[in-house]
Amino acid sequence: MRIVVTGKDGQVVRSLVERGALHTDIEIVALGRPELDLSDPFTVTSAIARAAPDLVVSAAAYTAVDQAEDEPELARAINVAGAKAVARMASDLGVPVVHLSTDYVFSGDGTEPYRETDKTGPHGVYAQSKLDGEIAVANANPRHIILRTAWVYSPFGKNFLKTMLQLAGSRDSVSVVSDQWGNPTSALDIADAIITVAKQLRADPAIAPYGIYHLAGTGSINWSGFARAIFAASRENGGPFADVVDISSADYPTKARRPLNSRLSTDKFFNVFGWRAPDWQDSMRKTVARLLADTEA
Ligand SMILES: NC(=O)c1ccc[n+]([C@@H]2O[C@H](COP(=O)([O-])OP(=O)(O)OC[C@H]3O[C@@H](n4cnc5c(N)ncnc54)[C@H](OP(=O)(O)O)[C@@H]3O)[C@@H](O)[C@H]2O)c1
């Protein structure tokens, strides 16, 4: 089964390439710039057609949440028109699309985990572009699985976990917001989930579980608690650690407002696909240990 994924160096892309290599019946083909540029739909169409996929994973996106406030046209071109072109091409080839979306489609009110049927309320350009991208993907390909994920980290690229480890190398204390809650999610777990979906769709294309799903690490925490857990894991492995000072979102203003509550309920994904992500602390510890081992190597 050939799975074509958009992007080359993204966290989810690299995780899918790594995890896909563990399955003899799966080939992952990563397509990114320049041959596939989401801001140029012609390249999307031709690159995907050439790759002849059995399934397309739409993982590339404009992900610079604050910068999007300054370049809304580019963010929308990539996250709406680009995502739509990917889904349309998959549809033209008669194959399903798995599209990555975000917890930021929600406003962040309340304390309960959001379900797929809950009302959306995005703040800011990035969040709105991802919500509009979901709608464009769903309209372009009836065989769509839209996976809303959250707080993604991995051994690859830039993410909160790696930033914390870097900061601990040069500081005694780090200030981190404590009033935003969510589910830290390993991109390697996302990759495992996507492979699970791919295998089930191949086994029974008529399973028809098409629609929106929430996919995130199991268990929730606030950002400062996440930072403390990262430092504890690092310390256990002989790595750097720092004190964490709780601050509020008001003390750390950003161009785009973040949801205070972006907890996601993953029950629907579990009920349909029989898979749930590991506890976020287990996956986080594995990533910290791997990064520290890589540093020593
Ligand atoms: N990171 C998070 O915390 C988070 C949270 C919720 C949802 N998500 C969603 O999950 C998905 C994967 O996120 P991620 O963390 O893996 O993202 P990431 O690490 O920021 O990677 C983004 C990828 O998109 C590619 N890309 C950007 N513009 C492109 C363009 N014009 N044409 C082709 N490729 C382009 C990048 O390519 P280059 O390598 O060439 O730059 C990179 O491969 C995204 O849809 C994101 O919205 C992420």
Side-chain angles (χ1 to χ4, degrees):
M1 177 185 210
R2 183 178 300 141
I3 300 177
V4 162
V5 57
T6 58
K8 273 186 187 156
D9 286 329
Q11 299 193 77
V12 170
V13 181
R14 290 188 62 186
S15 298
L16 205 47
V17 168
E18 183 172 300
R19 291 297 222 236
L22 303 174
H23 299 258
T24 49
D25 53 346
I26 284 184
E27 179 194 3
I28 307 282
V29 178
L31 294 179
R33 292 178 280 195
E35 62 268 31
L36 182 150
D37 184 340
L38 289 170
S39 64
D40 177 357
F42 175 75
T43 64
V44 173
T45 306
S46 54
I48 295 178
R50 267 198 311 276
D54 299 304
L55 174 82
V56 175
V57 177
S58 166
Y62 182 107
T63 55
V65 177
D66 292 314
Q67 204 176 319
E69 299 298 313
D70 294 327
E71 36 188 30
E73 280 99 15
L74 182 61
R76 291 189 63 80
I78 293 172
N79 289 351
V80 187
K84 178 180 172 183
V86 172
R88 165 81 33 84
M89 194 57 216
S91 178
D92 289 351
L93 295 170
V95 300
V97 63
V98 174
H99 174 72
L100 272 292
S101 190
T102 174
D103 52 334
Y104 284 12
V105 298
F106 294 113
S107 66
D109 298 334
T111 55
E112 289 301 306
Y114 280 102
R115 294 185 178 277
E116 291 79 354
T117 45
D118 285 334
K119 190 171 167 290
T120 53
H123 301 300
V125 171
Y126 167 79
Q128 185 68 54
S129 75
K130 291 296 290 184
L131 179 59
D132 293 346
E134 289 185 359
I135 296 163
V137 165
N139 287 333
N141 189 342
R143 294 172 71 196
H144 59 268
I145 304 279
I146 293 170
L147 301 176
R148 290 181 182 146
T149 191
W151 293 28
V152 180
Y153 66 88
S154 70
F156 316 116
K158 285 188 197 160
N159 56 67
F160 179 83
L161 185 150
K162 289 176 77 177
T163 302
M164 288 300 118
L165 290 181
Q166 278 153 13
L167 288 175
S170 58
R171 296 190 194 177
D172 294 333
S173 85
V174 181
S175 298
V176 186
V177 294
S178 58
D179 55 0
Q180 294 173 23
W181 290 76
N183 314 103
T185 306
S186 161
L188 290 161
D189 291 337
I190 295 174
D192 287 342
I194 291 172
I195 289 168
T196 300
V197 169
K199 289 194 172 191
Q200 292 194 21
L201 288 179
R202 180 182 50 184
D204 180 7
I207 188 173
Y210 298 108
I212 296 177
Y213 293 85
H214 291 173
L215 171 67
T218 298
S220 63
I221 187 69
N222 56 2
W223 284 113
S224 59
F226 187 22
R228 283 191 185 93
I230 292 164
F231 293 147
S234 176
R235 193 173 185 170
E236 277 164 26
N237 284 277
F241 55 93
D243 288 334
V244 176
V245 179
D246 284 355
I247 58 169
S248 70
S249 298
D251 297 326
Y252 188 74
T254 47
K255 272 195 174 168
R257 191 170 133 203
R258 270 51 171 181
L260 293 181
N261 169 35
S262 62
R263 299 172 182 91
L264 298 176
S265 164
T266 57
D267 289 349
K268 181 182 174 192
F269 191 94
F270 178 69
N271 290 336
V272 171
F273 296 107
W275 188 96
R276 208 189 282 282
D279 187 280
W280 71 264
Q281 303 221 31
D282 292 341
S283 297
M284 176 275 297
R285 279 193 209 98
K286 283 187 187 153
T287 303
V288 169
R290 174 172 164 175
L291 283 165
L292 293 175
D294 286 352
T295 318
E296 284 163 17

